[in-house]
């Protein structure tokens, strides 16, 4: 379960980086598109990666353990667990007194729960080589984006 949670955190962090850095893909003008984009990527990753690895993954493991204990095989257990994921994701903004971080946390919780369920559903039926390819896709896409920005500027 720990590896699955870390893998879901990995994909969630990349998704958040792509989602929130996409508006800055063209740069801010002045011919510095690559450095502007990399600055935004690093800023977003500075919040997304630790939040996914050190908050979302352990909390999701606790919620899944509670689900297995109190709602074993219940038809709506996924709805209860998903709602709790979103609720705890929305709570991310309270320590910082920021509605933006609440929205970011709620979005990340939905994405994280979706990746976690997808990996739990398809993971055992996927070949190891295919898993490695899927894990490399976000980094390959990032490399292509960076090379395209470098070539354009």
């Amino acid at each position: 379960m720990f590896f699955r949670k870390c893998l879901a955190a990995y994909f969630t962090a990349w998704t958040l980086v792509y989602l929130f850095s996409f508006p800055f893909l063209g740069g801010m003008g002045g011919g510095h598109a690559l450095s502007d984009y990399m600055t935004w990527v690093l800023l977003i990753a500075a919040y997304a990666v630790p939040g996914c690895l050190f908050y979302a993954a352990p909390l999701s493991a606790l919620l899944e353990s509670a689900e297995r204990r109190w709602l074993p095989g219940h038809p709506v257990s996924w709805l209860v667990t998903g709602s709790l994921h979103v609720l705890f994701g929305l709570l991310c903004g309270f320590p910082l007194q920021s509605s933006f971080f609440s929205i970011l946390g709620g979005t990340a919780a939905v994405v994280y729960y979706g990746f976690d369920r997808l990996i739990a559903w398809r993971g055992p039926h996927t070949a190891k080589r295919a898993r490695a390819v899927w894990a490399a896709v976000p980094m390959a896409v990032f490399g292509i984006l960076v090379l395209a920005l470098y070539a354009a500027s």
Side-chain angles (χ1 to χ4, degrees), residues 109-120:
V110 170
V111 172
Y112 181 89
Y113 188 68
F115 277 126
D116 187 41
R117 294 290 93 204
L118 181 68
I119 293 168

Side-chain angles (χ1 to χ4, degrees), residues 18 30 37 51 60 68 70 74 81 86 90 93 95 109 111 113 127-128 133 139 146 148 151:
Y18 286 140
Y37 180 68
S60 181
R68 287 182 183 170
W70 291 314
H74 200 274
T81 308
V86 172
L90 291 172
V111 172
Y113 188 68
K128 287 186 180 184
V133 168
M139 288 184 284
V146 168

